[in-house]
Each structure stands twice: as structure tokens, then as C-alpha cells.
Amino acid sequence: MAPPRALSEFVAEANEVLETLAHDVAVLDAQRGREPEPELLNAIFRAAHSLKGLSGMFGQERISSLAHHLEDVLDALRLGKVLASDPLLDAILEGVDVLTLMLREAAGDAPSEDTGRRAASLAEAFARLASGGQVGAADVLDEVGIDPAVRSVFTEYEEHRLRENVKKGVALWKVRAVFSLEDFDQRLAALNATLKPLGEVISTLPSSQPGDDASIAFDLIFGSARPLAEIEQAVAGVATVAQLTEKPVPPSAPRPEAAPRKPAPRLELSDVSSPELSAWPLSSGSSGTTSSPSGVMQGAEPSLRSLAQTVRVDIGRLDALMNTIGELLTVRANINRLAEVARQAGATPLPKLWAQELQKESRALERRLDELQGAVLDVRMVPLGQVFDKLARLMRRLVRQSGKDVHFEVSGGDVELDKLIVEELSDPLMHLLRNALDHGVEAPDRRIAQGKDARGVIRLTAQQLGNKVQIEVGDDGAGMDETRIRQVAIERGLATHEATEELERRELLNLVFLPGFSTRKDVSELSGRGVGLDVVKTNLARLSGLIDIDSRRGEGTRFVLTLPLTLAIIRALIVAVGDRSFAVPLNSVTEIVSVKPAELRTIERREVIEVRGQTLPFVRLARVFGLREATNDRHFVVIIGFAQERFGLAVDALLGQEDIVTKPLGGRLKAVPGIAGATELGDRRAVLVLDVGALLEELKRPQVAVG
Amino acid sequence: MARARFDQLLERFFYRPEEPVGAWLELAPEIAEAVEDLEELPEEFLAFELSTETYAVPIGAVREILKVPVVTSVPRVAEHVLGVMNIRGEMLPLYDLKQRLHLETAPPRVTGPSDVPREARVVLLKDPEGDAGILVDLVRGVVRLPLSKLEPAPAMGGERRAVAGLGRKDGELYILLDVEQALA
């Protein structure tokens, strides 16, 4: 057994490789039906290969074995021996899932039999897929006529790429360049970069005809549909271009000579058990010193280096760092205050000047601290793609199981969010996507009957809007059925018949977020939606996020999630009730108004105010928290927008805005309704942070509930 | 239930390493092993005053002793929760045991140093459910209590569950607190 330290290193590193793998496989999956990009296949192949090597090194036999099978299949795929068929892609997706599971089990959980079974059947499937389905065709390379001596130096992969190019009717060229030994690597790379936009560099062979001792010549085997003149112009002064094939163009070009070249020993890419492969030479012409344009060489070295230039950091350490910065900001505020006092009180000019200097320095300190804070926040940001990739894989499987025809579109994976938020998002998003599939998109026949495309669409998109991120889960399905929602709400005793009669469509839709609106076992009988949506809402509220529904009968449903970029620091409005202060997260504040007591109205004895023609509930914070109410000649009303609802929160005074870090109340006071936590302000006092979502829930509960 | 809990605690208090136990062992050689198995025992207590009574908690349960900081009261929590304190960036609740133990019915709300006498302190207790502070009138210091002489609290009603036992030394009565129960 590897010592724990080594194990944790393995898990971390393998996780990284697996994430890369999963990402690329997701891209591959998205291109289903098209011919896979060779670069992409190579990248996936390399990742599988690294994973195999890595897990083998750490004695993780289960992972190593499955990765090996995966690698075989990918190798066959990339060599064109098998086609990227649906079953094959499905097996690869499943492979990524099982590998992820196995890694998790290696990290701590006990190996489960289920995973073992899945792996075993997968290994079988891989073996079948890798060997079967030979793409039998006459060798096109024979037809175009390439010197057998030249052909003999190609690797199987290179030969496959040649064949693919010929099949596409792309002309093959030999680009010869002579570089000085001193800088040939950079210049070769530059040449590759020049050629890449024009076509595919299939192989780089050190040439048999070096110019002199101080230089080295290369033949780049290049497939391009562009006219010769264009290629020649692109590489003018660097290289010469010649036709590689004898046909269809007459062999006017000088025949390449297969003179002996320095054979570079190279590792077998994989031990594919195909006899065909073992017939190919182990050594190829590619020199080990050149950077291989096809990317095969990197795969050949089971690299021990990490794939990325990154440092993995426990998020807890970043939190600690944030805390320290917060403390420093407090210290700075104190220094500033002292300086201010000294400046005001200083009777003699000297301390006065000195205090001014101190204040200046203190401001500089603040700016630097702000930068530091920003930098730490930046470190916490990760792309949403981390979650989107996983969701895409899961959706692929769910769609298959559902028997519905659904196109799953994902975009905005590059939008970055705080790591903690991204992690917490996967469950709510999963929920919404599952709902869209189960209850949103109709069965194909029903869709056709309604004049829609038989294939449904589920979209997962993200975009950044200022300091917020909006994530949308949408479908083009049946939309929500208000009548059904009303019925269920009454059945469940969540609302009275009378109450629902008065609700507008929008409010009615929001009933699905009520706890107990729907339970798992109702999935089949519910034509609408609402499976555990209360959980989604709660999860989002914890992230200071909002959720909005937009649903049209027959056209589909959209859930729009709005999230802050980071939870670590939020901007808050500090308000006062009597002598107590509270912090209200600014992202939920839509505006602040001032009303006179005479302007208040009541509806069924509940106070309301009118803001821009809209009547909103008026909630006195003092009353909510049982504090003494001051008699004000006017109320400051903070208009809180949460999800689709808005209400006015009356306070005695507004004290200003602050950047705050919300901390949980000590372990024993976890669940105080209406309080999200506490934060410290400049004077070190703890100030309670309001949980506006919870306050809103309270506000609504007595209205709709109790029949 | 409470009784069983007391017995358990008393059992732990009962043995002092430096106490001569030879005589016992002769009487009951089979317990010799069991005695060795016992972990390091709490025998030092932090004693403090609440109203007119003297209470004590095992010294191992004390995280630190603080001057009373600014306390932010929290709405909608139990009466005996005075609020939260900001202890070097950490938010910790402060409990008023006088209410919890029914020593006083309606003590004045404490919001900061100005509301309490100069000697008052906050004793921060370590607890698996989350550390918490208790407000005490005066810290007496560390006492070593002869564990063999601990007695159960007499059944008189009230919040006896929070009392683990009674200890006597030099004519003083120390009420041993069960931290977990006292903060519940």
C-alpha cells in the first residue's frame, strides 16, 4: 500500500488528469456525428495514457487496468481502425464516469462491487469495440503512390492521417526546411505554426540530406487543400514545397530518397494486442529532439510532470488568508481613526503634520490591501465548465435512459465563479436539468402532434453580467400547467382555494418552490414540475442566489439563476433599528425609498406601500425581530428583491455600505431564522447579516398556508 | 438517565493517580487493570462565581478567559443566549448561565463591558458542538478537588442535569458543571 501522503498526491494528480480527460471527452461528445478532430482524439488518448501510467505507478490496479482498456479503444479510434460510433462514444463517456468513481473510492471510500461490475463490463465492451468494426477499405495510399521507403518510416498513426487526407482528396506535400543546429527547435516550431492554418502537419522527418555539419534539414509531410502557390508563399524563404504523392499529379517533384537516417528509439505508444501493430517498426524517423507536431510524442512519454502549472490549495487556507486580510483592514481603519484624532486634537503643528502623513500612508495601505484581497478572490475563481462537463455527461446518460429525443446545449462554461459556489451549484443544476428532461420535454410523438420538432432542446447557459452570473436552464417543452399547480397546492394543503384564486400566474408558478409542494413519488403523476424545487431554492439562497421561473404553456420553461461572483466578500448595506445594526446583502437590495407613515396602507391588516405603482408588503424589521419600535416621522424602506418577489423592509436609519465577510454564528446558533451569520465592522463589533430569503419566506407563509 | 450519567462522571472523577490504591487492589485485585485503563483524569477545575454560588468546570474544557467584549444580541434565540461576540474574527455565542440555571429570573441584558462589574469575565469553553462563552461574575482560579469526595447533586428539581456533582474543599462548596448540558 502506498503511504497516505503518496495516495493523496496520486488522487490530486489523477483528478487533474481525469478532469482534463472528462472535459475533452465532453467536447468529443458534443461533436458526435462529425469526424472527430485528430488533435482532440490525441489529447484524450494522452490523458488516458497518463492516467494509466500514473495509477500503475501508485499501484492503483483497478484504475490502471480500466485506463488501459480506454487507451486501447482510443488508440484504435485515433488510428481510424474503428469509427466514432454512438456505442463507442457512450462507452467512453461511461469509462470517464467509472474512472471518476474509482478514483473517489481510491481516495477513501471502500471499493464498491457495483463499480467493479461496471468496470468489468466496460472493459469487455472496450475490448470488443477496439478489435471489432475494422474499417475495411482498399489502401488509398497505394493508389496515390507514395514511395514505400518513405511509407515505412511513418508510424501507424501518421499513416492513418495520411490515408484520411487522401480520402478527403487533400494533396500531400513535402515541405523541406534547413535550419541551423543552434536554433532549429524554435524555427521548426515557427514553421509548424505557419503551416497549421493551411492544413495538417502529419509527420516531421529529419531529412536524409543535411546541408552541412552546422545545420539540419527536415521534411514535413503536410496535407493541404490549398494551392501550391499559397503554401510556397507562406513558407517562402524558410522552406521549399514539393509534391509527395506520385499520383494524381505527375511525379515532377524530386523523388524522396529513403536514405538511412538516425533511428531514434521510441516507446511503444501502447501495447495494443493487434498483430497488425506489432508488424510496424518500433522506431520511426521522428527525432526525439523535435517537438512533434502531431502531438504523438508527448503521449509516448508517460510524463511524470503534472499536466498544468498549478498549485493545489485547500480552500480553507484561502479562507484563512481572507480572514487575515479582513483583520488587516480593521487594523487599518483603527490607524486611520487614530490619525484623524491626532490631526484634530494636535494643538502644535508638528503632530498635526505627522498625523497627516500617517493618514496618507494609511490610505496607501488600504489600496494595497484591496489589491491583495482582489488577488485572493481571483485565486478562488474557477470556470463553471468544471460543473458543466459533469452535468453534460450525466445528461447524456439520462437522455439515453429516458428514451426521449433531446438535444442538450451547453454554453458559457468559461464563465468563472467562486470555487465554493461552483461546487454547490452542481446539485441544484442537476435537479433543474432532470426536471426539464422528466417533466419539461415531451415524448417525440406528442411533440410532433403539437407541430414541434420531434427533438427537444434543453439548454444550459451561463453569462456574466457585471458582478453577477446568470445561469439559465431552459427547455422547449410543455411549460408548466397552472391548473395542475393550483390543484396540487390545494391538495397538499399549501394554499386554500380562495387564496390560489387571487394569485397571479407568476405567484402561482412560485408555489412550486414551497416545501412539500411535491415529493419524489409524485414524479409520474405530476404533469407539471416541482420535484424538490424547494431544495433547489434553499441551496441557492445559501449561495445568496436568486431563482426566477419563466414558463409558457406549450413553449417551454426557463429557470434563471442569478448568483454573486463570490461569496467570500459581499457588499452590504448597514442599517439600524434602534441601537442595533444589521447588514443587508446589497445584491438583494433593488432600491431604497423613504415613506411617511401616512403613506402606508393596509390590506387585510397587513401593511403595504406603493413603489412605482407596485404594491409591496411593508415589513418592519423591528417587529420581525421583536425589538422596540421607534416612532419615526418617516421610514427608510429597503426594497428587497428576492427571486421574483419584492418587499419593503423598514428600518430606522441607513448607516452606509461596507464590504463584509459573512461568518457563521458559532456552531450552536446555526439555524436562527432570518439571520445568515455575522460580520465584523471597523470597530470589531459583530453585526448580524440578514437572510432576506428566509425573511421573505416567513412573510409569505401565513398568507398562503393554513387552509 | 441523569443518574446514570452522574455515575459515569463520578466514575471518571473517582480515581486520582497519586492516591494510594494498594489497599483497594488487595480487596479487589480484578479492578487493578481497569484502574490502569482510565485516562488522564480531570482533577483541576476552574472555579468561578455565578450570583452567590461557586461553580467549577474541568480545566481541560476551558479554551480561554476573556474580559467581557462587545456582545451583539441575536433575535429569536433562547433567553439564555446573550448574543455573539467577535473573538479575533471568529463569531462565538455567549451564554448566561444564571438564566439557564435559574439563579436569577430576569438578569439585565448584557451588551458589552459597561453592563457588567469590572470583575466579570467570559469563560470560553471548548465543546464539540461549537465553542461558546459563558458570562461569570468573577473567576476564582484553579482548584484541585479531591475527586474521591465528589457527591451527586441532591434531587431538588431545577436544572440539575447541568450539574455533574458537588465538590468540597476548605469549607467551600463547588458545583461541578456538565458543560454539554449547561450550554444545551
Side-chain angles (χ1 to χ4, degrees), chain A residues 508-547:
Chain A
L508 210 54
L509 290 183
N510 268 302
L511 287 178
V512 300
F513 289 122
L514 283 182
F517 176 82
S518 139
T519 55
R520 278 267 160 217
K521 66 175 190 292
D522 298 315
V523 171
S524 50
E525 71 182 50
L526 258 185
S527 60
R529 301 206 192 181
V531 178
L533 280 175
D534 60 313
V535 179
V536 173
K537 189 166 186 177
T538 325
N539 283 352
L540 275 170
R542 252 203 338 252
L543 301 174
S544 306
L546 314 176
I547 184 162

Short mmCIF file of all heavy atoms in Angstrom, two decimals, chain A residues 508-547:
data_model
loop_
_atom_site.label_atom_id
_atom_site.label_comp_id
_atom_site.label_asym_id
_atom_site.label_seq_id
_atom_site.Cartn_x
_atom_site.Cartn_y
_atom_site.Cartn_z
N LEU A 508 -48.36 32.05 -8.79
CA LEU A 508 -48.79 30.66 -8.84
C LEU A 508 -47.61 29.76 -9.17
O LEU A 508 -47.39 28.71 -8.55
CB LEU A 508 -49.88 30.53 -9.91
CG LEU A 508 -50.94 29.47 -9.70
CD1 LEU A 508 -51.61 29.62 -8.35
CD2 LEU A 508 -51.98 29.57 -10.80
N LEU A 509 -46.82 30.20 -10.15
CA LEU A 509 -45.65 29.42 -10.54
C LEU A 509 -44.72 29.26 -9.35
O LEU A 509 -44.10 28.22 -9.15
CB LEU A 509 -44.90 30.10 -11.68
CG LEU A 509 -45.57 30.11 -13.04
CD1 LEU A 509 -44.67 30.77 -14.07
CD2 LEU A 509 -45.90 28.70 -13.49
N ASN A 510 -44.65 30.31 -8.54
CA ASN A 510 -43.74 30.28 -7.40
C ASN A 510 -44.15 29.29 -6.32
O ASN A 510 -43.36 28.99 -5.44
CB ASN A 510 -43.58 31.67 -6.82
CG ASN A 510 -42.41 32.39 -7.45
OD1 ASN A 510 -41.29 31.90 -7.38
ND2 ASN A 510 -42.67 33.50 -8.09
N LEU A 511 -45.38 28.83 -6.40
CA LEU A 511 -45.81 27.83 -5.41
C LEU A 511 -44.97 26.57 -5.50
O LEU A 511 -44.84 25.84 -4.52
CB LEU A 511 -47.29 27.47 -5.64
CG LEU A 511 -48.32 28.53 -5.24
CD1 LEU A 511 -49.71 28.04 -5.58
CD2 LEU A 511 -48.23 28.83 -3.76
N VAL A 512 -44.42 26.30 -6.67
CA VAL A 512 -43.64 25.06 -6.81
C VAL A 512 -42.40 25.08 -5.93
O VAL A 512 -41.80 24.04 -5.68
CB VAL A 512 -43.22 24.79 -8.27
CG1 VAL A 512 -44.44 24.66 -9.17
CG2 VAL A 512 -42.27 25.86 -8.79
N PHE A 513 -42.02 26.26 -5.46
CA PHE A 513 -40.85 26.34 -4.59
C PHE A 513 -41.18 26.09 -3.13
O PHE A 513 -40.30 26.08 -2.28
CB PHE A 513 -40.18 27.71 -4.72
CG PHE A 513 -39.50 27.92 -6.03
CD1 PHE A 513 -39.85 28.96 -6.86
CD2 PHE A 513 -38.49 27.06 -6.44
CE1 PHE A 513 -39.21 29.15 -8.06
CE2 PHE A 513 -37.84 27.24 -7.65
CZ PHE A 513 -38.21 28.29 -8.46
N LEU A 514 -42.46 25.91 -2.83
CA LEU A 514 -42.83 25.68 -1.43
C LEU A 514 -42.41 24.29 -1.01
O LEU A 514 -42.55 23.33 -1.75
CB LEU A 514 -44.35 25.81 -1.26
CG LEU A 514 -44.91 27.22 -1.23
CD1 LEU A 514 -46.40 27.17 -1.00
CD2 LEU A 514 -44.25 28.03 -0.12
N PRO A 515 -41.88 24.19 0.22
CA PRO A 515 -41.53 22.86 0.70
C PRO A 515 -42.80 22.01 0.74
O PRO A 515 -43.85 22.48 1.12
CB PRO A 515 -41.01 23.11 2.12
CG PRO A 515 -40.81 24.57 2.23
CD PRO A 515 -41.67 25.23 1.21
N GLY A 516 -42.66 20.79 0.31
CA GLY A 516 -43.80 19.89 0.37
C GLY A 516 -44.73 20.04 -0.81
O GLY A 516 -45.77 19.39 -0.88
N PHE A 517 -44.37 20.88 -1.76
CA PHE A 517 -45.23 21.00 -2.93
C PHE A 517 -45.29 19.67 -3.68
O PHE A 517 -46.32 19.24 -4.14
CB PHE A 517 -44.73 22.08 -3.88
CG PHE A 517 -45.54 22.17 -5.15
CD1 PHE A 517 -46.74 22.87 -5.16
CD2 PHE A 517 -45.14 21.51 -6.30
CE1 PHE A 517 -47.51 22.91 -6.31
CE2 PHE A 517 -45.91 21.56 -7.45
CZ PHE A 517 -47.10 22.26 -7.45
N SER A 518 -44.16 19.06 -3.74
CA SER A 518 -44.15 17.80 -4.45
C SER A 518 -43.09 16.89 -3.86
O SER A 518 -42.09 17.35 -3.33
CB SER A 518 -43.88 18.07 -5.91
OG SER A 518 -43.00 17.12 -6.43
N THR A 519 -43.32 15.61 -3.91
CA THR A 519 -42.36 14.67 -3.38
C THR A 519 -41.99 13.70 -4.47
O THR A 519 -42.63 13.64 -5.50
CB THR A 519 -42.95 13.89 -2.20
OG1 THR A 519 -44.15 13.27 -2.65
CG2 THR A 519 -43.24 14.78 -1.03
N ARG A 520 -40.94 12.98 -4.19
CA ARG A 520 -40.39 12.08 -5.19
C ARG A 520 -41.44 11.17 -5.81
O ARG A 520 -41.47 10.96 -7.00
CB ARG A 520 -39.32 11.19 -4.55
CG ARG A 520 -38.00 11.90 -4.47
CD ARG A 520 -37.15 11.60 -5.70
NE ARG A 520 -36.14 12.64 -5.82
CZ ARG A 520 -35.72 13.12 -6.96
NH1 ARG A 520 -36.22 12.69 -8.09
NH2 ARG A 520 -34.81 14.06 -6.99
N LYS A 521 -42.29 10.61 -4.98
CA LYS A 521 -43.16 9.57 -5.50
C LYS A 521 -44.24 10.14 -6.43
O LYS A 521 -44.95 9.40 -7.08
CB LYS A 521 -43.77 8.75 -4.37
CG LYS A 521 -44.74 9.49 -3.48
CD LYS A 521 -45.34 8.46 -2.52
CE LYS A 521 -46.49 9.02 -1.74
NZ LYS A 521 -46.14 10.05 -0.78
N ASP A 522 -44.30 11.44 -6.49
CA ASP A 522 -45.31 12.03 -7.36
C ASP A 522 -44.80 12.25 -8.78
O ASP A 522 -45.53 12.73 -9.62
CB ASP A 522 -45.75 13.40 -6.80
CG ASP A 522 -46.37 13.23 -5.44
OD1 ASP A 522 -47.18 12.32 -5.31
OD2 ASP A 522 -46.02 14.01 -4.54
N VAL A 523 -43.54 11.91 -8.98
CA VAL A 523 -42.94 12.22 -10.27
C VAL A 523 -43.82 11.81 -11.43
O VAL A 523 -44.09 12.58 -12.33
CB VAL A 523 -41.57 11.52 -10.41
CG1 VAL A 523 -41.04 11.67 -11.82
CG2 VAL A 523 -40.60 12.13 -9.42
N SER A 524 -44.32 10.58 -11.37
CA SER A 524 -45.05 10.07 -12.53
C SER A 524 -46.42 10.72 -12.67
O SER A 524 -46.89 10.94 -13.78
CB SER A 524 -45.18 8.57 -12.42
OG SER A 524 -45.69 8.24 -11.15
N GLU A 525 -47.05 11.02 -11.57
CA GLU A 525 -48.41 11.52 -11.68
C GLU A 525 -48.48 13.02 -11.91
O GLU A 525 -49.52 13.55 -12.24
CB GLU A 525 -49.24 11.12 -10.47
CG GLU A 525 -48.88 11.87 -9.20
CD GLU A 525 -49.71 11.39 -8.03
OE1 GLU A 525 -49.78 10.17 -7.82
OE2 GLU A 525 -50.28 12.25 -7.35
N LEU A 526 -47.35 13.68 -11.71
CA LEU A 526 -47.37 15.13 -11.90
C LEU A 526 -47.11 15.47 -13.34
O LEU A 526 -46.10 15.10 -13.91
CB LEU A 526 -46.25 15.77 -11.05
CG LEU A 526 -46.65 16.43 -9.76
CD1 LEU A 526 -45.44 17.10 -9.17
CD2 LEU A 526 -47.75 17.44 -9.99
N SER A 527 -48.02 16.21 -13.91
CA SER A 527 -47.76 16.60 -15.29
C SER A 527 -46.90 17.86 -15.32
O SER A 527 -46.22 18.13 -16.28
CB SER A 527 -49.07 16.86 -16.03
OG SER A 527 -49.78 17.88 -15.37
N GLY A 528 -46.97 18.58 -14.26
CA GLY A 528 -46.15 19.80 -14.21
C GLY A 528 -44.78 19.46 -13.70
O GLY A 528 -44.22 18.42 -14.00
N ARG A 529 -44.23 20.36 -12.92
CA ARG A 529 -42.90 20.14 -12.38
C ARG A 529 -42.92 20.37 -10.89
O ARG A 529 -43.95 20.45 -10.27
CB ARG A 529 -41.95 21.16 -12.96
CG ARG A 529 -41.85 21.13 -14.40
CD ARG A 529 -40.52 21.66 -14.67
NE ARG A 529 -40.35 21.95 -16.06
CZ ARG A 529 -39.22 22.40 -16.52
NH1 ARG A 529 -38.25 22.64 -15.69
NH2 ARG A 529 -39.07 22.63 -17.77
N GLY A 530 -41.79 20.50 -10.32
CA GLY A 530 -41.74 20.87 -8.92
C GLY A 530 -41.15 19.81 -8.03
O GLY A 530 -41.36 19.81 -6.83
N VAL A 531 -40.40 18.91 -8.63
CA VAL A 531 -39.82 17.87 -7.80
C VAL A 531 -38.67 18.44 -6.98
O VAL A 531 -37.62 18.74 -7.50
CB VAL A 531 -39.30 16.70 -8.67
CG1 VAL A 531 -38.66 15.65 -7.80
CG2 VAL A 531 -40.46 16.13 -9.44
N GLY A 532 -38.92 18.58 -5.71
CA GLY A 532 -37.86 19.04 -4.82
C GLY A 532 -37.33 20.43 -5.17
O GLY A 532 -36.19 20.74 -4.88
N LEU A 533 -38.15 21.25 -5.78
CA LEU A 533 -37.66 22.57 -6.15
C LEU A 533 -37.39 23.45 -4.93
O LEU A 533 -36.60 24.39 -5.00
CB LEU A 533 -38.65 23.27 -7.09
CG LEU A 533 -38.56 22.81 -8.54
CD1 LEU A 533 -39.64 23.44 -9.37
CD2 LEU A 533 -37.19 23.15 -9.11
N ASP A 534 -38.06 23.11 -3.83
CA ASP A 534 -37.79 23.88 -2.61
C ASP A 534 -36.33 23.71 -2.20
O ASP A 534 -35.70 24.64 -1.72
CB ASP A 534 -38.73 23.45 -1.48
CG ASP A 534 -38.58 21.99 -1.14
OD1 ASP A 534 -38.56 21.16 -2.07
OD2 ASP A 534 -38.50 21.66 0.05
N VAL A 535 -35.82 22.50 -2.45
CA VAL A 535 -34.42 22.23 -2.11
C VAL A 535 -33.50 23.09 -2.98
O VAL A 535 -32.53 23.68 -2.52
CB VAL A 535 -34.09 20.73 -2.31
CG1 VAL A 535 -32.64 20.46 -1.99
CG2 VAL A 535 -35.02 19.88 -1.46
N VAL A 536 -33.86 23.16 -4.25
CA VAL A 536 -33.07 23.99 -5.17
C VAL A 536 -33.05 25.43 -4.67
O VAL A 536 -32.01 26.07 -4.59
CB VAL A 536 -33.69 23.95 -6.58
CG1 VAL A 536 -32.98 24.94 -7.49
CG2 VAL A 536 -33.60 22.55 -7.15
N LYS A 537 -34.22 25.90 -4.27
CA LYS A 537 -34.31 27.29 -3.83
C LYS A 537 -33.49 27.52 -2.56
O LYS A 537 -32.79 28.52 -2.45
CB LYS A 537 -35.77 27.64 -3.59
CG LYS A 537 -35.94 29.12 -3.33
CD LYS A 537 -37.37 29.56 -3.43
CE LYS A 537 -37.44 31.06 -3.31
NZ LYS A 537 -38.78 31.55 -3.47
N THR A 538 -33.59 26.57 -1.63
CA THR A 538 -32.83 26.72 -0.39
C THR A 538 -31.33 26.73 -0.68
O THR A 538 -30.60 27.55 -0.14
CB THR A 538 -33.13 25.55 0.57
OG1 THR A 538 -34.50 25.20 0.41
CG2 THR A 538 -32.86 25.93 1.99
N ASN A 539 -30.91 25.79 -1.54
CA ASN A 539 -29.49 25.73 -1.87
C ASN A 539 -29.02 27.05 -2.46
O ASN A 539 -27.94 27.54 -2.13
CB ASN A 539 -29.23 24.63 -2.90
CG ASN A 539 -29.24 23.26 -2.27
OD1 ASN A 539 -29.29 23.14 -1.04
ND2 ASN A 539 -29.21 22.24 -3.09
N LEU A 540 -29.83 27.61 -3.32
CA LEU A 540 -29.44 28.86 -3.97
C LEU A 540 -29.42 30.01 -2.98
O LEU A 540 -28.55 30.88 -3.04
CB LEU A 540 -30.41 29.19 -5.10
CG LEU A 540 -30.05 28.51 -6.40
CD1 LEU A 540 -31.16 28.66 -7.40
CD2 LEU A 540 -28.77 29.11 -6.94
N ALA A 541 -30.40 30.00 -2.07
CA ALA A 541 -30.45 31.07 -1.09
C ALA A 541 -29.17 31.05 -0.26
O ALA A 541 -28.63 32.09 0.10
CB ALA A 541 -31.67 30.90 -0.20
N ARG A 542 -28.69 29.85 0.02
CA ARG A 542 -27.45 29.73 0.80
C ARG A 542 -26.29 30.38 0.06
O ARG A 542 -25.32 30.82 0.66
CB ARG A 542 -27.15 28.27 1.06
CG ARG A 542 -27.38 27.89 2.48
CD ARG A 542 -26.62 26.68 2.93
NE ARG A 542 -26.19 25.79 1.90
CZ ARG A 542 -26.72 24.59 1.67
NH1 ARG A 542 -27.69 24.15 2.40
NH2 ARG A 542 -26.25 23.82 0.73
N LEU A 543 -26.38 30.40 -1.25
CA LEU A 543 -25.31 31.00 -2.06
C LEU A 543 -25.63 32.45 -2.39
O LEU A 543 -25.03 33.02 -3.28
CB LEU A 543 -25.16 30.22 -3.37
CG LEU A 543 -24.83 28.74 -3.24
CD1 LEU A 543 -24.87 28.07 -4.60
CD2 LEU A 543 -23.46 28.56 -2.62
N SER A 544 -26.61 33.02 -1.67
CA SER A 544 -27.08 34.39 -1.96
C SER A 544 -27.56 34.50 -3.40
O SER A 544 -27.39 35.54 -4.03
CB SER A 544 -25.97 35.43 -1.74
OG SER A 544 -25.45 35.31 -0.47
N GLY A 545 -28.09 33.43 -3.91
CA GLY A 545 -28.55 33.44 -5.29
C GLY A 545 -30.06 33.59 -5.38
O GLY A 545 -30.78 33.39 -4.40
N LEU A 546 -30.51 33.98 -6.53
CA LEU A 546 -31.93 34.13 -6.77
C LEU A 546 -32.36 33.18 -7.87
O LEU A 546 -31.58 32.83 -8.74
CB LEU A 546 -32.26 35.55 -7.24
CG LEU A 546 -31.62 36.71 -6.49
CD1 LEU A 546 -31.99 38.01 -7.16
CD2 LEU A 546 -32.09 36.72 -5.05
N ILE A 547 -33.62 32.77 -7.84
CA ILE A 547 -34.11 31.93 -8.93
C ILE A 547 -35.42 32.49 -9.44
O ILE A 547 -36.25 32.97 -8.68
CB ILE A 547 -34.25 30.46 -8.47
CG1 ILE A 547 -34.67 29.58 -9.65
CG2 ILE A 547 -35.25 30.30 -7.33
CD1 ILE A 547 -34.43 28.11 -9.42
#
